Amino acid sequence: MAYFLGVDTGGTYTDAVILDQAANRVIGKAKALTSRHNLAVGIGEAVDAAIAAAGVTPSEVALVSLSTTLATNALVEGQGGRVALIFIGFDADDLGRGGLIEALKGDPVISFAGGHSHAGTETAPLDLTALEQSVRGLGDEVMGFAVAARFATRNPAHEIAAREVIRRVTGRPVTCSHELSAQLNGPKRALTAVLNARLIGMIDRLVAACEQHLAAVGIDAPLMVVRGDGALISAAMVRERPIETILSGPAASIVGARWLTGASDALVSDIGGTTTDVALLRGGLPEIDPQGARVGGFRTMVEAVAMRTTGLGGDSEVHLLTEGLTGGLRLGPRRLIPVALLAVDHGPMVHAALDRWLSTEVTGEMDGRFVVPMTGQTGGLSTREAAVLARIAAPMPMAQALTSRLEVAALERLVSRGLVMISGVTPSDASHALGRLAAWDKVAAEKAVRLIARRRTGAGERFATGPEAFAQAVVDQLTAQTVDCLLEAAFGEDPAFSDQLPEALARHPLTTAGLAGHRGVMEITARLGVPVIGLGASAPSYYGAVGVRLGCEMILPEHAGVANAIGAVAGQVSQRATGLVSSPGEGRFTAHLATGLQTFKSCDEALVVMEAALVAEASERARRAGAVDLRIEAKRDIREAEVEGRRMFIEATLTATASGRPRVARG
C-alpha cells in the first residue's frame, strides 16, 4: 500500500503528516521545532515521528510534498540575502516605481542601455563587455543577481544574454524577470525578480535539507513543493523559481481546510508563529489574486491565492506604545524567538539575565531582549556591522552585544539580513505565563512578562500591575488584531464595498459599534456572514474569543494544527504559459515566441503557431514539475477595435495550461 507524506516548514514549527490516500484519512502526524541553523534537524524529527505514529515503513511512502512559510515570512519581516539588480533600458525614475527601491534596501543596482520596444524590436544594443566588467567584482558580495530589461516579455534577448555572462563570470544564481511573468510593467517585474533572487539561498537550503533526510531514512519518492496558488511543482523547479513559494504555506492551508472540513464558503484564517493568513473559500475553491501576490508590503507578479497576510502570530514582537498618558500594545510584524523557547536550550544564560534585570527597580530599554546568531552570506557588511556580528558568537543579552547606541542600527541591519534573530516577549510567552501553553519554559516566560510589565507609560505608571494582567492584555491584543484581519478580508471580498478601503471599514466606528451590539437612539448590529475555519496549532487558544467578537461560527477541525502539511499532498500539478500576438501594421501579425519574433501575413496562422508553442511549453513545464496524465486547456483573449466600420485586430494574449496528478513512486 502507498502512503503520502506531507511536510510544512514554518517559522516556529515543522509539521509532518502521513495520509492514506486510498482511505482519505490522516494516519500519523507530528510536530517539531523548526531548526533555523540546520533545517534538516526539524524536518527529520517531524518526519520520523509521523512515520512512527502511522506505523508504516519509509519504503511505503510514494510521494512527499513540502509547503513552507519561510519565503512569506522573510518578505514580511524584510529579510533575505544580498542581491544585485541588472537594470537594462530603464530610466532612473523607474527605480522609484512599484516599491523597487524599498525592496532593494541599499543593494547594488547596475544600469545599462538596451532593452526593446513595445513591438519587441531592439531600442539600443546591450554592452556585454561593460556588463562583464561590472559584475566581476560583485560575485563575492552578493548571493545572486536579478536581471530586468525593458519590454523583456516582448523580447527576452537582452535578459538571456546578460544571464549567460553573469553565470559564466560569477557562478551565482541569476533570475530573469521574463521567466517569472509574461505581463508588462518592467519595474514590477524587476521587483519580483529581486525578491526571487533574494530567496534562492533560503529555499535551496530547505529543499536540500528535506532531500537529505529522505535519502537518509530510505524514502525514494518524488519530492514536490506547494506553489502560491496551491498547485504542486517539483523540487528541482522550485530551486530556480523560489518566489513561487510565497504564500505556499497559506495556499496549502486552504487546500487542507477544504480537505478537513468539506466547507464550501468560509473565511480560512491560519495563525502561525510569524503571520496570520486569511483567504476566502468560495464554492469550495480559493480565489486567485489577479494582480499578483501581495506580501510584506510588496505587490509581486506571482500568481497566488487571494490572501491577506499580516505580520501577526504567536511569536510576534510585543511593542509598548509609550506615547500619551495611558500607553498601549501593538503586536508584530516582526517575529521574535520567544523567551520561553530560548530558555529551553540556553536556560542558565536566560534565567541569570532575567534575574539580574528583575533585581533592579528600573527596567532598561534592552532588558528582556536577547540576540541569537544565525548562518548566512556575510558579503557587503559594513565595518560596524561586521564588528557587531563578530561579538554575537552565541545567544546573549542584547546589551552585551552592543558597545554604544550607534550600533543599534547595525544590529537592525543584521536582523534584516537574517544573520541575527532577536528574542523577546511574544504572545507565546504570555500564553505560557497564563498556563494556556506548556511546551517550553514557563518560568522564563513568567519572568520575562513580569519584567516588561514593569516598564512605564507616558504618565509614569507601570504598564500592568503584574505578569498575569500584562499577559492577558497581550492575548486580548492578539484577539483584537485578528478580528481586524478577518474584517479586512471580509470587506475586501464583499462586492458591495468594492469602492471602499477594507482597512478603513474594518476599523470604522460603525463597525465597532455594530459588533458590540450598540443600543441607543440608534441600534446597530454587525456580524460576519460566513463561518471562520481556524487553523494553526495555537488557533484553539485564541480563536474562541475571535468567533464571539465577530458573532460567527468558528470551526476548529481536529487536525487544524497540521492543515498545511495535509494540504501539501492534496494538491495537483499545474503549469501555465502565456504569450502575445501583436499587429505592428496592417496585414502583419507578430508572434512573440520565446525563441524570438516571428511575423505572419495571416492572423489565424500567427495564433495557431503561438498556441502550439505555448501548449508545448506548458506541457514541458508540467512534466518537469512532476505531472503525469496531462490535461491541456488553451484560451485566447483577442482585443479588437472598430475603425471606419471595420474590425481591426490589436493584439491577442494566449494562455495554455497543463495540469495533472503528481508522479508517485511505484511500490
Side-chain angles (χ1 to χ4, degrees):
M1 185 175 289
Y3 300 98
F4 288 3
L5 167 63
V7 180
D8 176 67
T9 299
T12 305
Y13 283 107
T14 294
D15 304 330
V17 299
I18 301 292
L19 286 189
D20 181 339
Q21 198 67 5
N24 206 37
R25 65 189 180 94
V26 176
I27 61 172
K29 63 180 181 179
K31 279 183 175 289
L33 287 171
T34 296
S35 45
R36 295 289 186 109
H37 65 286
N38 182 359
L39 293 169
V41 175
I43 290 172
E45 291 177 356
V47 168
D48 293 350
I51 289 175
V56 303
T57 63
S59 61
E60 292 178 288
V61 176
L63 176 71
V64 182
S65 191
L66 175 68
S67 73
T68 181
T69 59
L70 293 183
T72 306
N73 294 350
L75 297 185
V76 169
E77 297 179 81
Q79 295 182 357
R82 192 169 192 253
V83 301
L85 170 63
I86 308 302
F87 213 37
I88 302 171
F90 293 98
D91 301 325
D93 291 344
D94 290 323
L95 274 175
R97 300 191 177 107
L100 190 50
I101 288 179
E102 291 84 353
L104 283 163
K105 297 188 298 185
D107 287 356
V109 180
I110 308 175
S111 298
F112 293 94
H116 294 77
S117 69
H118 185 275
T121 57
E122 186 179 78
T123 56
L126 174 62
D127 189 339
L128 295 178
T129 302
L131 173 64
E132 180 172 341
Q133 293 173 347
S134 296
V135 302
R136 188 175 297 279
L138 282 174
D140 294 334
E141 294 186 15
V142 299
M143 62 171 294
F145 290 83
V147 179
R150 184 177 289 276
F151 285 115
T153 53
R154 298 297 168 93
N155 191 332
H158 284 183
E159 287 194 358
I160 293 172
R163 177 182 63 194
E164 299 310 311
V165 169
I166 297 168
R167 281 180 175 170
R168 173 173 55 81
V169 173
T170 71
R172 293 292 188 187
V174 184
T175 299
C176 291
S177 75
H178 78 274
E179 295 176 320
L180 300 177
S181 175
Q183 299 179 45
L184 298 178
N185 192 331
K188 193 172 172 183
R189 270 201 335 276
L191 165 73
T192 307
V194 164
L195 297 178
N196 187 80
R198 204 183 292 290
L199 295 170
I200 282 178
M202 176 187 299
I203 297 303
D204 184 71
R205 288 193 298 273
L206 173 64
V207 172
C210 195
E211 289 175 337
Q212 173 188 332
H213 188 75
L214 296 179
V217 298
I219 296 178
D220 183 19
L223 175 60
M224 310 295 288
V225 181
V226 181
R227 212 169 53 187
D229 61 357
L232 304 180
I233 53 176
S234 67
M237 184 174 285
V238 85
R239 278 186 153 119
E240 300 172 7
R241 301 159 73 118
I243 190 71
E244 294 196 358
T245 69
I246 63 172
L247 299 184
S248 162
S253 74
I254 296 174
V255 177
R258 170 68 171 165
W259 191 90
L260 286 168
T261 67
S264 293
D265 299 285
L267 278 175
V268 179
S269 185
D270 184 4
I271 181 171
T274 308
T275 62
T276 291
D277 308 308
V278 183
L280 178 65
L281 198 61
R282 182 176 285 159
L285 297 172
E287 297 287 304
I288 300 298
D289 192 339
Q291 298 181 49
R294 184 179 184 90
V295 182
F298 299 119
R299 174 70 75 177
T300 70
M301 282 188 158
V302 178
E303 189 169 274
V305 293
M307 178 77 64
R308 288 181 177 267
T309 296
T310 306
L312 176 68
D315 300 343
S316 288
E317 182 173 11
V318 176
H319 295 276
L320 300 182
L321 306 180
T322 56
E323 298 83 3
L325 298 179
T326 58
L329 299 177
R330 192 70 188 166
L331 307 180
R334 183 165 64 182
R335 174 185 179 266
L336 304 187
I337 298 174
V339 175
L341 175 56
L342 185 66
V344 171
D345 292 326
H346 305 281
M349 182 273 295
V350 171
H351 281 282
L354 290 171
D355 290 341
R356 184 172 65 254
W357 290 322
L358 286 169
S359 68
T360 64
E361 283 299 318
V362 179
T363 303
E365 188 178 347
M366 295 184 189
D367 290 358
R369 294 169 80 81
F370 304 84
V371 289
V372 181
M374 311 300 289
T375 58
Q377 200 262 356
T378 58
L381 293 182
S382 69
T383 302
R384 181 170 286 163
E385 290 162 0
V388 173
L389 183 61
R391 282 186 221 118
I392 308 175
M396 63 179 64
M398 181 184 287
Q400 187 178 324
L402 304 175
T403 59
S404 72
R405 292 192 62 82
L406 295 175
E407 292 184 336
V408 172
L411 176 61
E412 289 293 334
R413 174 67 173 165
L414 294 173
V415 171
S416 71
R417 288 280 299 272
L419 297 172
V420 173
M421 281 196 71
I422 295 174
S423 173
V425 172
T426 68
S428 295
D429 291 300
S431 292
H432 276 80
L434 291 170
R436 297 185 182 183
L437 290 178
W440 307 324
D441 190 326
K442 180 180 187 297
V443 176
E446 193 275 340
K447 289 178 181 179
V449 172
R450 181 185 298 276
L451 183 67
I452 195 172
R454 290 168 41 176
R455 295 274 297 275
R456 302 283 179 174
T457 67
E461 300 292 334
R462 288 184 172 178
F463 267 86
T465 55
E468 295 82 5
F470 188 86
Q472 187 59 54
V474 171
V475 171
D476 291 344
Q477 183 63 30
L478 181 64
T479 298
Q481 289 183 225
T482 302
V483 167
D484 286 345
C485 292
L486 287 163
L487 288 173
E488 286 179 23
F491 280 120
E493 294 293 343
D494 194 320
F497 305 102
S498 59
D499 59 342
Q500 303 288 321
L501 288 175
E503 297 83 359
L505 292 174
R507 295 163 180 80
H508 196 282
L510 290 178
T511 303
T512 304
L515 291 174
H518 174 76
R519 294 295 181 266
V521 177
M522 289 290 298
E523 292 191 356
I524 306 174
T525 302
R527 66 182 183 87
L528 212 57
V530 295
V532 172
I533 302 174
L535 302 179
S538 60
S541 298
Y542 303 124
Y543 275 26
V546 172
V548 171
R549 175 73 172 145
L550 291 172
C552 68
E553 179 187 4
M554 180 62 68
I555 302 172
L556 299 170
E558 177 187 359
H559 302 295
V562 292
N564 291 24
I566 292 171
V569 288
Q572 294 282 303
V573 179
S574 179
Q575 286 290 313
R576 188 162 69 179
T578 303
L580 181 79
V581 173
S582 62
S583 179
E586 190 169 358
R588 296 169 58 211
F589 303 92
T590 301
H592 295 253
L593 302 169
T595 54
L597 306 182
Q598 193 170 341
T599 302
F600 301 88
K601 295 181 180 179
S602 162
C603 176
D604 288 341
E605 187 179 3
L607 292 172
V608 168
V609 170
M610 187 77 246
E611 189 168 88
L614 293 174
V615 167
E617 181 182 351
S619 300
E620 190 272 335
R621 282 188 194 171
R623 292 189 186 95
R624 277 205 302 133
V628 294
D629 300 334
L630 294 185
R631 303 180 304 278
I632 307 297
E633 181 182 5
K635 292 182 179 180
R636 298 178 179 180
D637 181 13
I638 299 175
R639 291 179 54 206
E640 295 180 324
E642 188 169 324
V643 180
E644 296 181 350
R646 294 173 54 203
R647 300 295 296 175
M648 299 289 291
F649 176 89
I650 305 299
E651 65 179 26
T653 301
L654 288 77
T655 303
T657 304
S659 305
R661 59 181 177 83
R663 185 186 299 111
V664 299
R666 295 182 178 178

